[in-house]
Amino acid sequence: MRVLVTGGAGFIGSHVADLLAAEGHEVVLLDALLPQAHGREVPPWTTVHRFVRGDLRDADLLRSVLSRVDAVCHQAAMVGHGVDPSDAPAYASHNDLGTAVLLAEMHRARVDRLVLAGSMVIYGEGRYDCAEHGTVRPVPRAVADLEAGHFEPRCPACGRALVPGLVPESAPADPRSTYAATKLAQEHLAAAWARQTGGAVWSLRYHNVYGPRMPFGTPYAGVASVFRSALERGEAPRVLEDGRQRRDFVHVTDVAAANLAALSAPVVGFAAANVCSGEPHTVGDLAVELAKAMGGPEPQVVGGARPGDVRHIVADPAFARERLGFRARVAFAEGVAAFATDPLRAPAALSPPAVIDR
């Protein structure tokens, strides 16, 4: 199979490309290589594949690279929580306009299979149960509560403490950031395209991905990279809230394996699947394990929270296991220990906003 990987020079995209090639597929990489994300040098891992440098929003360029392509793994995106609301036009342009142009050109080229890099951020808060009211959706946490150190969401009906659970793909969407809103819009665009064209789409809702080639030293990177950056400076990782917020940290090689599975897994129209480890841990656990592996200072729990942060978001892996045959292989302790010395990718600049291709 000949597969176009958008964002193929980036963190996740490059691992997807390497695995596809190892499995005998012909791979074409497309990446804008913006200096904020990649520096000024072409990443060395691109040299083993056919590489095209260009912008996803360039329809003429897409028309040429989609020639004789059988499927697309769409990893390119501007990622991260967002540093400032003024980032919104850039997020919408790169993520949503770029996806719309890609889908239009796939239709013209008669390419009918798409694997989309989705995200768990579309869920907002995770699943919660109240002893009296069953499954409920908590309202966003109040700033006053966060400042007072009250971090757990409460039942909107009775105010009682809630018990967090696993989030299934059927959970209603509740994006809490510009990035999250654009990732949900990508899914809507892809689902509409599938209905209109008869195409097939898997959206893989990645949870907290970490591993080699992760962006380093930028506010747009994931928390694992932020903690490692601090430790390499000899500083203690700063853990927000009380460190007990739960996440699912999934290794990038497992994410690549999920993409490989989605290229051939049966699907009618559009379907979404959580891509996670199924082994939830707290953010504090991550900081402690990474500090131990790097021989650095113990983490500091500093309280507070960023606007839009959620408390707990842990996925149910059952659907991906059933429909994709996907099961994560890298255990948390093993992955974090390796991450302590994994080669990372340092962007050349932190401003303007970094377009980090997945």
Side-chain angles (χ1 to χ4, degrees):
M1 186 183 298
R2 194 172 199 234
V3 183
L4 172 65
V5 181
T6 70
F11 170 38
I12 297 175
S14 64
H15 285 277
V16 171
D18 287 352
L19 180 59
L20 291 177
E23 292 293 320
H25 299 288
E26 183 182 353
V27 179
V28 180
L29 309 185
L30 174 66
D31 202 299
L33 284 186
L34 297 185
Q36 302 98 307
H38 295 281
R40 302 197 178 279
E41 302 297 327
V42 176
W45 47 83
T46 64
T47 59
V48 296
H49 308 291
R50 181 191 167 198
F51 174 65
V52 178
R53 182 171 185 170
D55 195 309
L56 186 66
R57 297 164 294 182
D58 184 339
D60 292 336
L61 176 64
L62 277 178
R63 205 162 296 142
S64 66
V65 298
L66 284 167
S67 175
R68 295 184 295 109
V69 161
D70 300 300
V72 175
C73 281
H74 181 26
Q75 310 295 316
M78 181 173 175
V79 306
H81 189 80
V83 175
D84 188 277
S86 62
D87 293 347
Y91 275 101
S93 180
H94 284 282
N95 296 359
D96 298 337
L97 176 59
T99 297
V101 175
L102 173 64
L103 292 170
E105 294 308 320
M106 286 178 64
H107 174 55
R108 291 189 177 98
R110 298 184 179 179
V111 179
D112 62 1
R113 190 161 190 101
L114 174 71
V115 179
L116 173 66
S119 176
M120 58 84 177
V121 295
I122 69 165
Y123 296 126
E125 283 285 357
R127 176 190 169 113
Y128 293 88
D129 292 299
C130 172
E132 181 177 352
H133 296 97
T135 301
V136 298
R137 298 186 69 193
V139 296
R141 298 179 294 169
V143 173
D145 286 342
L146 296 174
E147 290 177 346
H150 303 310
F151 301 115
E152 294 293 341
R154 294 190 172 272
C155 176
C158 66
R160 292 183 182 178
L162 300 172
V163 177
L166 301 181
V167 183
E169 290 82 356
S170 59
D174 185 21
R176 303 280 181 98
S177 69
T178 300
Y179 170 61
T182 64
K183 295 306 289 183
L184 181 58
Q186 282 186 317
E187 287 201 350
H188 288 322
L189 288 166
W193 173 85
R195 284 192 297 270
Q196 293 169 330
T197 66
V201 180
W202 276 105
S203 179
L204 304 182
R205 293 175 179 168
Y206 303 157
H207 283 250
N208 291 70
V209 187
Y210 72 100
R213 305 175 188 169
M214 195 174 189
F216 180 74
T218 163
Y220 294 85
V223 67
S225 176
V226 172
F227 287 164
R228 181 170 147 175
S229 297
L231 287 162
E232 291 199 349
R233 295 192 301 268
E235 301 171 2
R238 292 169 57 83
V239 182
L240 296 179
E241 301 187 21
D242 58 2
R244 297 175 185 171
Q245 55 272 45
R246 297 168 76 234
R247 299 290 188 269
D248 189 305
F249 299 98
V250 58
H251 198 267
V252 68
T253 57
D254 284 325
V255 173
N259 276 267
L260 176 66
L263 276 173
S264 58
V267 60
V268 177
F270 174 92
N274 289 322
V275 173
C276 58
S277 73
E279 185 185 354
H281 289 273
T282 68
V283 174
D285 290 340
L286 174 66
V288 168
E289 289 298 317
L290 192 55
K292 186 189 307 180
M294 296 181 67
E298 293 184 2
Q300 294 180 353
V301 178
V302 298
R306 299 180 302 179
D309 271 357
V310 299
R311 178 61 174 174
H312 304 296
I313 178 70
V314 175
D316 187 341
F319 185 73
R321 187 165 55 242
E322 175 187 343
R323 292 288 302 278
L324 295 176
F326 168 75
R327 187 188 300 268
R329 302 297 181 189
V330 180
F332 178 76
E334 172 193 348
V336 173
F339 184 69
T341 56
D342 279 338
L344 303 187
R345 178 166 47 89
L350 302 185
S351 180
V355 178
I356 299 172
D357 296 330
R358 283 186 174 276

